[in-house]
Amino acid sequence: MVDLVDIALFSLVAIVFIPRIFGTNKRTTNTSTIPIMINRRGGAMIPRRRVPIAPPPDRHDEQQPSTPTSFYEAKPEDIITVKDILSKVRNIPPELVDMILDRAEYWACSATVIDYSNHPQHKITILGARPAQDQFLLRTEPLGLTKWTMSNQDLWRVESAPKRLKKEYEESDLKELIDGSFSTLEHPFRKVVFDIVSCDQGWSSDNVNHGQYTGSWTWFDAGLERFDQENECVPECPDNLGSEDLKGTTSIPTCAIRPIWPVLENHHDDDAITRYHHELLPNEDHLIQRNKHAIGQFQNHHVEWSWDDDVDPDSLAARTLGEAGRGRGTGNGEFLRNLKLGDMITVWGRARFPGWTNNIQRVEVKVYWAF
């Protein structure tokens, strides 16, 4: 007798690959000379099976983005169809359906890209020891909210206002902005993939560390943002949407975004005025990637964080992460396991001390979640 799980997996494989064989995906190309943050919702190549959390110490020069095993792009509506077939046609419990799809890594994806290759200098530059040595680069769309749409492009492309979060939205309210049902898994956000093309100034007086990640003072951090339910748009706010009840609207205003990290601090001991607090040295829990020390050619860094990573920040394995330019605290999976529905991941570019320059050509973030 054919096992029920085998039937379910056969149905999944058929649905995943038949469109790939008999159909094509339409793609659009942005040819503007102005760098634009591009969000692609719900279209994702099926990810490759798990790769090592960090490259071997002697192969740092060979870091390249992983090649997906398939070019089929699974959208949330595709996943909804598969779940309906498995649960209704095959009478498989929803919890088991979620386990089957997760085992197959049939996940939804939100991809965000900022590309400066069409910029006049083909890059942007962050200078250390300058007022703009900490720069916001991009944010992902609110995780899992497939029905959310941004209300203001200008606010979306810049760092959120330095206002403290007063009240988070309840998950039950946010689920109003989801197509279909959300995953029953305890940690639905499974993986985040960063692809960064960048380099430093190409020289330094520290000759010992040239070509290594040690002593590099240009890097990238992952931040976090959430919506504030108590947000109120002021009359001059670009959103100008008012503070409507979520249940009566199809979206949440962009001006309701609040920073969780980087944290905020009081400006000149005035509780009424807050500003971002940017740490002088890299934060090991948020450090995505350093640039190679004194290497002026653009490097392509590919970094993956997974919900089931389990590297102790104080272990020898974490030391390997540090040798590869990553934060020692980013290998324990906590960042992914702590993500909530509606969260937004941000990327910040940094440079420290005179002479250090962070040259950035392209940043892409893909977040995979069990739908």
Side-chain angles (χ1 to χ4, degrees), residues 9-10 15 24 28 30 38 87 112 140 162 172 186 199 209-210 240 260 272 286 298 303 316 318-319 321 352:
L9 289 174
F10 177 81
I15 291 172
T24 58
T28 59
N30 189 306
I38 303 172
S87 60
T112 303
T140 66
S172 58
E186 182 179 4
C199 65
N209 288 318
H210 283 195
N240 197 26
I260 305 299
H286 292 265
F298 281 108
V303 177
L316 291 177
R319 181 178 178 179
L321 294 182
R352 291 291 183 271

Side-chain angles (χ1 to χ4, degrees), residues 63-347:
Q63 293 186 71
Q64 294 294 332
S66 60
T67 302
T69 57
S70 172
F71 290 99
Y72 173 74
E73 294 188 352
K75 299 179 180 179
E77 54 264 33
D78 299 330
I79 299 176
I80 292 173
T81 301
V82 173
K83 293 179 74 171
D84 286 343
I85 291 175
L86 296 182
S87 60
K88 296 179 181 179
V89 179
R90 298 298 182 182
N91 295 319
I92 302 176
E95 295 81 6
L96 183 55
V97 170
D98 287 341
M99 292 172 62
I100 292 170
L101 298 186
D102 184 57
R103 182 64 178 174
E105 296 187 358
Y106 192 52
W107 299 324
C109 174
S110 175
T112 303
V113 182
I114 188 76
D115 195 329
Y116 299 98
S117 58
N118 288 334
H119 192 273
Q121 284 76 42
H122 308 292
K123 64 180 181 180
I124 64 165
T125 298
I126 301 175
L127 302 176
R130 301 290 180 88
Q133 66 177 7
D134 301 283
Q135 288 195 28
F136 168 89
L137 298 177
L138 60 78
R139 68 168 50 86
T140 66
E141 290 189 331
L143 302 182
L145 304 188
T146 54
K147 293 168 62 176
W148 182 88
T149 56
M150 70 186 74
S151 54
N152 187 279
Q153 285 278 356
D154 293 334
L155 291 178
W156 184 252
R157 295 192 184 107
V158 299
E159 63 189 56
S160 58
K163 298 179 180 180
R164 289 192 170 91
L165 176 66
K166 295 181 180 179
K167 182 181 179 181
E168 296 182 20
Y169 277 96
E170 296 291 335
E171 184 176 283
S172 58
D173 290 334
L174 292 174
K175 284 182 177 179
E176 298 291 328
L177 298 176
I178 300 176
D179 290 305
S181 60
F182 200 58
S183 174
T184 61
L185 297 177
E186 182 179 4
H187 303 292
F189 300 104
R190 310 307 261 178
K191 183 169 68 171
V192 58
V193 178
F194 304 94
D195 279 297
I196 300 174
V197 181
S198 62
C199 65
D200 71 7
Q201 66 284 345
W203 59 271
S204 85
S205 58
D206 182 5
N207 297 327
V208 175
N209 288 318
H210 283 195
Q212 306 298 316
Y213 293 104
T214 306
S216 173
W217 297 108
T218 62
W219 73 91
F220 300 86
D221 282 332
L224 188 66
E225 297 176 332
R226 289 184 181 135
F227 288 119
D228 189 350
Q229 192 171 24
E230 294 192 359
N231 171 72
E232 293 185 4
C233 290
V234 296
E236 62 271 19
C237 176
D239 273 321
N240 197 26
L241 295 178
S243 55
E244 300 178 34
D245 183 9
L246 176 62
K247 295 182 179 179
T249 181
T250 59
S251 192
I252 304 173
T254 311
C255 64
I257 298 174
R258 299 288 183 268
I260 305 299
W261 198 94
V263 298
L264 300 179
E265 62 182 3
N266 294 336
H267 183 54
H268 299 310
D269 298 323
D270 186 345
D271 292 340
I273 303 176
T274 55
R275 63 182 180 185
Y276 282 94
H277 171 71
H278 298 293
E279 300 177 16
L280 177 64
L281 305 181
N283 183 297
E284 295 296 331
D285 294 333
H286 292 265
L287 171 59
I288 303 171
Q289 183 67 51
R290 296 177 186 263
N291 284 317
K292 280 190 174 182
H293 190 134
I295 300 297
Q297 295 76 35
F298 281 108
Q299 306 288 307
N300 195 340
H301 291 102
H302 179 80
V303 177
E304 296 188 8
W305 296 355
S306 178
W307 75 277
D308 58 354
D309 289 340
D310 59 356
V311 175
D312 187 328
D314 297 322
S315 66
L316 291 177
R319 181 178 178 179
T320 301
L321 294 182
E323 292 173 350
R326 285 185 47 176
R328 294 177 61 133
T330 63
N332 60 10
E334 287 297 315
F335 189 91
L336 267 294
R337 289 193 290 270
N338 289 330
L339 287 176
K340 299 180 180 180
L341 185 66
D343 281 359
M344 291 152 280
I345 299 172
T346 59
V347 176

